[in-house]
Amino acid sequence: MQDPHVIRDAFAERFGYHPRLIVRAPGRVNLIGEHTDYNEGFVFPIAIDREAFVAARSRPDTTFRVYTAQFDQEDSFTIDQIERRPDMPWANYVRGVVKGILARDLPITGADLLISSDVPLGSGLSSSASLEVAVGYAVQLLNNINLLGEELALLAQGAENSFVGVQCGIMDQFISALGRADHALLLDCRDLSYRPLPIPPDVRVVVCGSGVHHNLGNSGYNERRAACNEAVRLLRARMPKISALRDVSVASLTANADLLPPTILMRARHVVTENQRTLAAAAALERADLVTFGRLMNESHASMRDDYEVSVPEIDLLTELARAVPGCYGSRLTGGGFGGSTVSMVTISAVDGFVQEVAAGYLAQTGRTADILVCRPSEGVGRATAV
Ligand code: ADP
Ligand code: MG
């Protein structure tokens, strides 16, 4: 947890006056429901207690000055002319959000912003969404604009899609805006309806970063999306009413498997079974049945590894080490894959042992250090303490 007083003082030192407000927006981890978002299916994330903070004060002109402690860099632009900055990639997340607010004809003035985050960058915990949501919320509060959480999430996602150029789904921004403390959110990516379900107080969500990031992640992601679209196109020969894999049941996929080439069938099978698992996992959590929840996490991992083929040996190893620890209910790859992190559900009394065993086993077998975070499900975007 970062100290808002330190952030307030850093703002004062940089800009010469105190901020008017400080907001925070969390990163996230998805418990189950992977690669289902762009198939209009279900995801089940929590917001985590790692957050982007933005300290902010309005300016009387149209200039934005934006400083990030992460890179020790300052960007500056005016709202009449917001262009992409190829030389400073991080600035585009901020510029995109401000541009998105202006595109909605919402009246704003310039502002000074200071960003400080303890969400690890580029580890699959969605530092980008937390930054976008925090910036959007800060600008909204400074200008007395009333945006619903859903609108803020869509605006932030739009900034990442069209301004930064990353084709992410809505999950990350949605949970960063609307997460609820001690709950996971079952989110329907088709209509954005959602249901918070409590995480029992005696478990922790543990994220293990593999330290592996494959460059083929981007092309692999695009290929998977294309395969899903192709599956829908081919299945429509007999199921003309479907518009996404969300509309296909396990039984109807099995009955129509002959329509699909082997690889496309594997990709579709992951998505169709993952939707079913995600709904089953939410039902299990509703009755506090962590054993079933953990089993579904393990099955989800097997499906990502064998049918969707987005795991890597280091991630498989992390899940195996996790499951070998008594008190771990289940473990799986979280996020897009090709490296990244695993997520595990661990009973509280076993967490210390879990961290030691997994870290030691991973180091012994790969020579790499696992980056392990013990998370609590946290509240979505909001104000940090008064300044
Ligand atoms: P992830 O969202 O999984 O952390 P991304 O590649 O989507 O990974 O986003 C990481 C990028 O977001 C960083 O490289 C940087 O450009 C931007 N970013 C995130 N947090 C900050 C921050 N606190 N300050 C500046 N830029 C940030
Ligand atoms: Mg991101």
Side-chain angles (χ1 to χ4, degrees):
M1 168 79 180
Q2 304 181 85
D3 183 351
H5 296 99
V6 173
I7 291 169
R8 181 194 59 192
D9 293 348
F11 184 102
E13 196 168 311
R14 170 149 293 265
F15 296 116
Y17 40 64
H18 281 112
R20 188 163 84 73
L21 50 89
I22 301 180
V23 304
R24 39 156 292 282
R28 64 97 186 94
V29 63
N30 192 22
L31 301 181
I32 191 164
E34 218 69 70
H35 289 279
T36 44
D37 56 349
Y38 52 82
N39 291 295
E40 300 186 20
F42 300 93
V43 295
F44 201 30
I46 61 165
I48 60 175
D49 46 345
R50 296 297 179 111
E51 306 159 315
F53 278 72
V54 173
R57 185 167 200 100
S58 292
R59 296 171 53 91
D61 55 21
T62 56
T63 298
F64 267 77
R65 288 190 297 177
V66 187
Y67 172 80
T68 174
Q70 263 58 48
F71 298 114
D72 188 22
Q73 283 180 346
E74 188 173 309
D75 177 36
S76 161
F77 59 91
T78 63
I79 58 179
D80 351 289
Q81 204 185 1
I82 304 184
E83 313 270 336
R84 258 188 214 88
R85 251 196 103 151
D87 62 323
M88 212 186 252
W90 67 267
N92 294 322
Y93 293 85
V94 180
R95 289 175 171 225
V97 168
V98 175
K99 195 159 181 152
I101 293 173
L102 290 164
R104 284 169 201 230
D105 277 337
L106 298 167
I108 62 170
T109 65
D112 291 329
L113 307 180
L114 179 135
I115 299 157
S116 175
S117 177
D118 66 359
V119 186
L121 271 58
S123 292
L125 298 178
S126 215
S127 67
S128 59
S130 64
L131 174 61
E132 293 148 10
V133 169
V135 167
Y137 194 62
V139 173
Q140 163 183 346
L141 289 185
L142 286 179
N143 294 280
N144 297 314
I145 294 168
N146 206 357
L147 280 180
L148 294 174
E150 282 92 329
E151 291 177 80
L152 176 60
L154 286 165
L155 193 151
Q157 182 207 14
E160 188 149 344
N161 288 168
S162 55
F163 201 81
V164 179
V166 175
Q167 292 312 308
C168 58
I170 184 65
M171 166 170 66
D172 303 354
Q173 292 81 6
F174 199 91
I175 185 73
S176 186
L178 288 154
R180 187 173 312 171
D182 303 320
H183 289 69
L185 243 57
L186 177 66
L187 171 64
D188 181 339
C189 295
R190 171 165 277 170
D191 63 9
L192 299 190
S193 59
Y194 64 98
R195 209 149 63 91
L197 290 165
I199 303 274
D202 54 345
V203 289
R204 286 284 176 270
V205 174
V206 185
V207 177
C208 299
S210 66
V212 176
H213 302 279
H214 284 291
N215 285 336
L216 90 188
N218 254 343
S219 58
Y221 178 83
N222 291 338
E223 270 168 39
R224 297 305 182 281
R225 284 189 78 140
C228 293
N229 291 339
E230 180 63 1
V232 171
R233 193 183 70 78
L234 293 169
L235 289 168
R236 283 170 79 139
R238 279 190 220 131
M239 295 188 274
K241 288 201 178 127
I242 65 167
S243 62
L245 283 177
R246 150 69 177 275
D247 300 316
V248 180
S249 67
V250 176
S252 57
L253 182 66
T254 310
N256 293 290
D258 58 302
L259 290 175
L260 306 181
T263 305
I264 304 280
L265 175 61
M266 284 160 64
R267 306 298 187 245
R269 190 165 55 209
H270 165 71
V271 173
V272 168
T273 58
E274 184 77 353
N275 271 326
Q276 195 180 52
R277 277 187 294 271
T278 305
L279 292 173
L285 200 61
E286 201 158 21
R287 32 174 222 276
D289 178 357
L290 287 166
V291 172
T292 301
F293 192 91
R295 180 175 50 75
L296 290 161
M297 289 175 83
N298 293 341
E299 288 173 14
S300 166
H301 183 76
S303 176
M304 291 179 86
R305 182 191 59 209
D306 302 336
D307 273 346
Y308 223 57
E309 297 184 298
V310 290
S311 192
V312 295
E314 291 87 349
I315 291 282
D316 293 340
L317 173 64
L318 281 172
T319 64
E320 284 154 24
L321 292 166
R323 289 177 202 144
V325 179
C328 172
Y329 290 103
S331 184
R332 55 180 286 278
L333 164 63
T334 187
F338 305 101
S341 303
T342 61
V343 60
S344 309
M345 288 285 245
V346 185
T347 198
I348 249 178
S349 58
V351 164
D352 289 346
F354 178 97
V355 171
Q356 275 172 25
E357 298 267 317
V358 173
Y362 193 62
L363 183 64
Q365 294 194 45
T366 65
R368 290 177 181 277
T369 304
D371 198 359
I372 303 184
L373 291 182
V374 180
C375 301
R376 295 194 67 135
S378 298
E379 196 70 17
V381 71
R383 285 180 91 127
T385 51
V387 290

